[in-house]
Amino acid sequence: MAIDTRGEKRIMYYQRRITGLQQRLRRRRLDGIIIARPENRRYLSGYKGGDHGIEESSGLLIVPAKGAAHLVTDFRFELQAQQETKDIMVHVHRGGVIQLLGQLLPDLSIKRFGFESDYTLYFFAEKLKKELRPKGISPVPVQGLVEQMRIVKDEQEIALIKKSVQLNEAVFSSVFNELGAYRTERELAAAIESAMVRQGAEKPSFSTIVASGRNGALPHAVPGTDRIEQNGSLTIDMGLILNGYCSDMTRNFVPQEPDSTYRKLHRIVRKAQLAGIAAVKAGARCCDIDRAARAVIKDAGYGNYFGHSLGHGVGLAVHEEPRVSAKSRRKLKAGMVITIEPGIYIPDWGGIRLENMVVVTSDGCENLNEDTTMLDI
Amino acid sequence: MAIDTRGEKRIMYYQRRITGLQQRLRRRRLDGIIIARPENRRYLSGYKGGDHGIEESSGLLIVPAKGAAHLVTDFRFELQAQQETKDIMVHVHRGGVIQLLGQLLPDLSIKRFGFESDYTLYFFAEKLKKELRPKGISPVPVQGLVEQMRIVKDEQEIALIKKSVQLNEAVFSSVFNELGAYRTERELAAAIESAMVRQGAEKPSFSTIVASGRNGALPHAVPGTDRIEQNGSLTIDMGLILNGYCSDMTRNFVPQEPDSTYRKLHRIVRKAQLAGIAAVKAGARCCDIDRAARAVIKDAGYGNYFGHSLGHGVGLAVHEEPRVSAKSRRKLKAGMVITIEPGIYIPDWGGIRLENMVVVTSDGCENLNEDTTMLDI
């Protein structure tokens, strides 16, 4: 593949990230780390291979504390890995990945290496220990090393996230304009996902949620074969991946005329969202953002109907740090990208959730979404 | 929800499966087991909740060695879990799942419980141990307990798998008939996935593979923005989920006129597939099925270009036991459902893989697919 200058620039990003990780490894006196989580792998190497679940890895990235990184994969992903990476040696295992690690790690002088304990199956970690310890190699569970690097986005990443959000909005608009063409939740969800890809997305960043009427009371409803109610609330929670970066937004409206209950609840949720957004700025704590939004819903008497946290980080993963929850005392930093998504869910009636993404800045935040479906409050 | 007689019948299936698992638990002197794997959870309870990756579980099913099962989930899935299960007590955790387990397990007199070591993250298992051991509760890693029950399908399951395969074929046909309408791999893949859902599938059983021309050399190619070559090989690997059960098939053809190289290679792969299918019957070993097909490709001089195993089981998961590989000495049993999918992959040229699903019978197998795209050999 020919590398254009933009390509060269991106490779510099990867090299800088690898160097940053290596500093962290040396600080922890680790000789290297094995990266299994696909988003971390992509962040560090550019390799886009997707796992078919955690059990079918499309590759392990070995980053020694010094020197070039290596990728261990199998036959199916060999060509792709070679095409998508640079300065990374691709190894193909045939007799099992641990066997190859048993040869490769000593060659790289790696004795004490980290593995991602929050993305490694228990039996695999035990097997690593059992087979490598006799060779004098010690696996050490670590958590969040690369995730902590990913939490603050650089300019290039923010530009890519904005593109992802813009495309997500464009897809929503195109489908919203012909809403009447879709009879069931499932048809509408399929139309959204198909439009995402037709309009250039890699794929949806999660399974699109379309919940009509009382189904909206399930925050993570699976689109079913129920007809879309024209007079009930309609929740559409959708996101896509573009250039590796995710978007995530929720729209809520009534296809025909909203009644007074809907209007009342919608206004409460929207007020909560605006209160949450107003509280965002570098230095603010996640729990305080959550509380600012939650207070509006509590004060209106619906505190028991808002059972999830206010938001989450978005980047290469659609759910990542920071968690914007009542439990998190983490302080926001400029360059973090988070969702603000309060909701009210009432069994046998339905639900309303409104979700936008914002970039944290030193004195506030930048709202990335243009929501044209909001009721005027 | 009203339960019709078909519903009652299905609930009997779940009860029978729970009872079968409880026998296995008592044999291992376990007081219970915690089921995290979504397919196992669905197999035992009917609960359809899907995980957003292993890290965001939509529930843990607790099966005591005696008595009714319990489901621990969070707020987002409470209603769905109640609607989709019967005779299962649904608990919602708010202070963290392990805290709730610490209360629930003693109530159920569970002291020694199994957890699925091949579907539990290392850090979670360590946390379970750390927090529960002081209460006299011991987590024990177990593997394959429910998977071994799922490996042989009963009549109802085979009927559901057949429906899934038939719908997959119907989707392929509908898209195949208007192939010219799709310019790029990604557009074609999106059209296939959209048609799946429009025609009644829950969702694709994996990310649809469309690989045109030389991209076909990557067995797990990700559909890109390359135009579909009219004179190159086109690989379409697609499957869907219907009533929980997966289908999986691969078609390979040249949109316009295949040249002599394509014809030659296609015939070799097809011969290999037929040899594999001919070797399938109850009692035959998986490695022997793999060898029967592989020998055809080896004898034709392309052994080095077929780097993956011949097939895999299909059921509630699209990849499950048995693995039809050179390494597996497992004997097939009547009622197992497997794929037979030999391939030849040539860098810078492309690839050919042909995949059908078969049900193992006492004296052979039943081919579930109708492949109308095969070259006549």
Side-chain angles (χ1 to χ4, degrees):
Chain A
M1 283 181 102
I3 303 285
D4 59 8
T5 27
R6 229 175 100 226
E8 291 287 359
K9 208 166 156 191
R10 296 203 69 177
I11 283 157
M12 278 172 44
Y13 277 101
Y14 299 127
Q15 192 45 58
R16 201 181 306 151
R17 290 169 186 170
I18 295 264
T19 306
L21 176 59
Q22 288 176 326
Q23 286 167 356
R24 285 161 194 250
L25 293 176
R26 289 194 295 267
R27 239 177 277 148
R28 293 186 179 224
R29 282 194 247 142
L30 291 168
D31 304 324
I33 188 168
I34 296 188
I35 302 292
R37 190 187 289 276
E39 296 87 9
N40 290 346
R41 213 168 49 199
R42 185 165 179 168
Y43 181 77
L44 294 166
S45 73
Y47 172 50
K48 298 179 193 169
D51 293 1
H52 181 69
I54 192 172
E55 296 161 281
E56 300 198 18
S57 173
S58 65
L60 298 176
L61 186 71
I62 320 291
V63 183
K66 277 186 188 173
H70 295 249
L71 185 79
V72 175
T73 185
D74 67 56
F75 167 82
R76 297 170 301 172
F77 301 99
E78 183 179 7
L79 269 181
Q80 184 186 351
Q82 284 167 346
Q83 286 169 359
E84 293 175 348
T85 63
K86 215 190 153 199
D87 296 333
I88 285 178
M89 175 105 168
V90 177
H91 306 259
V92 172
H93 66 83
R94 290 178 191 273
V97 63
I98 295 183
Q99 196 189 325
L100 199 151
L101 290 176
Q103 294 160 4
L104 184 61
L105 297 179
D107 286 352
L108 299 173
S109 307
I110 295 177
K111 282 190 182 306
R112 227 176 89 83
F113 74 89
F115 67 91
E116 297 165 296
S117 70
D118 54 353
Y119 201 80
T120 301
L121 293 170
Y122 183 82
F123 93 100
F124 187 80
E126 291 298 311
K127 214 167 154 185
L128 273 178
K129 288 184 196 169
K130 198 179 143 201
E131 299 195 17
L132 297 180
R133 277 184 180 162
K135 300 186 182 210
I137 307 173
S138 306
V140 178
V142 297
Q143 241 175 298
L145 238 62
V146 183
E147 287 80 353
Q148 293 309 317
M149 297 173 62
R150 281 170 40 204
I151 195 170
V152 171
K153 277 72 181 171
D154 63 32
E155 270 181 39
Q156 186 218 24
E157 291 185 286
I158 291 172
L160 291 174
I161 290 170
K162 283 182 179 174
K163 280 189 185 164
S164 182
V165 171
Q166 282 157 10
L167 183 60
N168 202 33
E169 292 271 14
V171 169
F172 174 78
S173 296
S174 68
V175 174
F176 184 68
N177 288 334
E178 46 176 39
L179 200 65
Y182 309 106
R183 287 172 314 151
T184 68
E185 296 170 338
R186 207 180 268 179
E187 275 182 23
L188 179 52
I192 289 170
E193 297 193 352
S194 169
M196 286 175 178
V197 174
R198 268 201 325 275
Q199 295 182 40
E202 285 169 34
K203 59 179 178 184
S205 52
F206 58 93
S207 286
T208 303
I209 295 170
V210 174
S212 168
R214 63 174 63 186
N215 295 340
L218 285 67
H220 275 206
V222 174
T225 51
D226 289 349
R227 273 182 178 269
I228 292 168
E229 287 177 33
Q230 297 304 304
N231 294 312
S233 71
L234 183 61
T235 305
I236 299 179
D237 190 349
M238 57 188 278
L240 54 83
I241 305 182
L242 180 65
N243 298 310
Y245 284 84
C246 296
S247 44
D248 186 3
M249 72 179 198
T250 309
R251 296 292 170 256
N252 200 293
F253 53 91
V254 176
Q256 286 182 356
E257 204 50 40
D259 64 15
S260 60
T261 306
Y262 181 87
R263 286 179 180 278
K264 186 181 84 175
L265 295 177
H266 187 110
R267 285 189 179 119
I268 297 167
V269 178
R270 175 63 171 158
K271 263 192 198 163
Q273 190 188 37
L274 292 174
I277 290 174
V280 172
K281 66 173 180 181
R285 289 191 196 275
C286 287
C287 52
D288 294 333
I289 316 298
D290 184 281
R291 188 168 47 231
R294 198 172 299 276
V296 174
I297 293 176
K298 263 192 190 158
D299 290 350
Y302 291 93
N304 289 331
Y305 300 92
F306 174 29
H308 57 75
S309 56
L310 182 66
H312 54 83
V314 183
L316 286 167
V318 68
H319 287 173
E320 59 181 47
E321 294 293 329
R323 307 283 155 168
V324 186
S325 78
K327 281 185 223 156
S328 168
R329 293 184 47 80
R330 182 194 284 277
K331 282 187 182 168
L332 295 177
K333 286 186 186 169
M336 289 183 177
V337 176
I338 57 174
T339 67
I340 302 290
E341 48 178 312
I344 292 178
Y345 309 93
I346 300 182
D348 289 325
W349 179 80
I352 297 178
R353 178 171 63 258
L354 300 174
E355 176 186 25
N356 282 344
M357 282 167 60
V358 303
V359 185
V360 181
T361 59
S362 58
D363 57 351
C365 68
E366 182 185 355
N367 184 359
L368 299 186
N369 293 86
E370 290 279 344
D371 192 342
T372 54
T373 61
M374 297 287 184
L375 292 181
D376 187 15
I377 64 169
Chain B
M1 281 180 104
I3 302 287
D4 60 9
T5 25
R6 228 174 101 226
E8 290 289 358
K9 210 168 157 189
R10 295 204 71 176
I11 284 157
M12 280 174 44
Y13 277 101
Y14 299 127
Q15 192 46 57
R16 203 180 304 151
R17 290 169 185 168
I18 295 265
T19 307
L21 176 60
Q22 289 176 326
Q23 286 167 358
R24 285 162 194 249
L25 292 177
R26 291 194 293 266
R27 242 178 274 148
R28 294 186 178 223
R29 283 194 248 144
L30 290 168
D31 304 324
I33 187 168
I34 295 188
I35 302 291
R37 190 187 288 277
E39 296 86 8
N40 290 346
R41 211 169 50 198
R42 184 163 180 168
Y43 181 78
L44 294 166
S45 72
Y47 172 50
K48 297 179 193 170
D51 293 359
H52 182 70
I54 192 171
E55 295 161 281
E56 299 198 20
S57 174
S58 66
L60 297 176
L61 186 72
I62 320 291
V63 183
K66 277 185 186 170
H70 295 248
L71 185 78
V72 175
T73 185
D74 65 58
F75 166 81
R76 297 170 303 171
F77 302 99
E78 181 178 7
L79 269 181
Q80 183 185 353
Q82 284 167 345
Q83 287 169 358
E84 292 174 349
T85 63
K86 216 193 153 196
D87 295 333
I88 285 177
M89 174 106 169
V90 177
H91 307 258
V92 172
H93 66 82
R94 292 180 189 268
V97 63
I98 295 184
Q99 195 190 326
L100 200 151
L101 290 175
Q103 295 160 2
L104 184 61
L105 297 178
D107 285 351
L108 298 172
S109 308
I110 294 178
K111 282 191 183 304
R112 229 176 87 84
F113 73 90
F115 69 91
E116 297 165 296
S117 70
D118 53 354
Y119 201 78
T120 301
L121 293 170
Y122 183 81
F123 92 99
F124 187 80
E126 291 298 313
K127 212 166 156 188
L128 273 179
K129 288 184 197 171
K130 198 179 143 203
E131 300 194 18
L132 297 180
R133 277 184 180 161
K135 301 185 182 213
I137 307 172
S138 305
V140 178
V142 298
Q143 241 175 299
L145 237 63
V146 184
E147 287 80 352
Q148 293 308 316
M149 296 171 64
R150 282 170 39 203
I151 194 169
V152 170
K153 277 73 181 171
D154 63 32
E155 269 180 40
Q156 186 219 24
E157 292 185 285
I158 291 172
L160 292 175
I161 290 171
K162 283 182 179 174
K163 279 189 186 164
S164 182
V165 170
Q166 282 157 11
L167 182 60
N168 203 30
E169 292 271 12
V171 169
F172 174 79
S173 297
S174 67
V175 174
F176 184 69
N177 288 334
E178 45 176 40
L179 200 65
Y182 309 106
R183 286 171 314 150
T184 69
E185 295 170 339
R186 208 180 266 180
E187 276 183 22
L188 179 52
I192 289 169
E193 296 193 352
S194 169
M196 285 176 179
V197 174
R198 269 203 321 277
Q199 294 182 40
E202 285 170 34
K203 58 179 178 183
S205 52
F206 58 92
S207 285
T208 303
I209 295 170
V210 174
S212 168
R214 62 175 63 187
N215 295 341
L218 285 67
H220 275 208
V222 174
T225 51
D226 288 350
R227 272 181 178 268
I228 292 168
E229 287 177 32
Q230 297 304 305
N231 294 310
S233 71
L234 183 62
T235 305
I236 299 177
D237 190 349
M238 57 189 276
L240 54 82
I241 305 183
L242 180 65
N243 299 309
Y245 284 85
C246 297
S247 44
D248 186 5
M249 72 178 198
T250 309
R251 296 291 171 255
N252 200 293
F253 54 90
V254 175
Q256 286 186 354
E257 203 51 38
D259 64 14
S260 60
T261 305
Y262 181 87
R263 286 180 180 278
K264 186 181 85 176
L265 295 177
H266 187 111
R267 284 190 179 118
I268 296 167
V269 177
R270 175 62 170 158
K271 261 193 197 163
Q273 190 188 38
L274 292 174
I277 291 174
V280 173
K281 65 173 180 182
R285 288 189 195 276
C286 287
C287 52
D288 294 333
I289 316 297
D290 184 281
R291 188 165 50 230
R294 197 171 298 277
V296 174
I297 293 175
K298 262 193 190 157
D299 291 350
Y302 292 92
N304 288 332
Y305 300 92
F306 175 28
H308 58 75
S309 56
L310 183 65
H312 55 83
V314 182
L316 286 168
V318 68
H319 287 172
E320 58 180 46
E321 293 291 331
R323 307 282 155 168
V324 186
S325 78
K327 283 186 222 156
S328 168
R329 292 182 47 77
R330 183 194 283 274
K331 282 186 182 168
L332 295 177
K333 286 186 186 168
M336 290 183 177
V337 175
I338 57 174
T339 67
I340 302 289
E341 48 177 313
I344 292 179
Y345 308 92
I346 301 183
D348 290 325
W349 179 81
I352 297 178
R353 177 171 66 258
L354 300 173
E355 176 185 27
N356 281 345
M357 281 167 60
V358 303
V359 185
V360 181
T361 60
S362 60
D363 58 352
C365 67
E366 182 185 354
N367 185 358
L368 298 185
N369 292 85
E370 290 278 344
D371 192 342
T372 54
T373 61
M374 297 288 183
L375 293 181
D376 186 16
I377 65 167

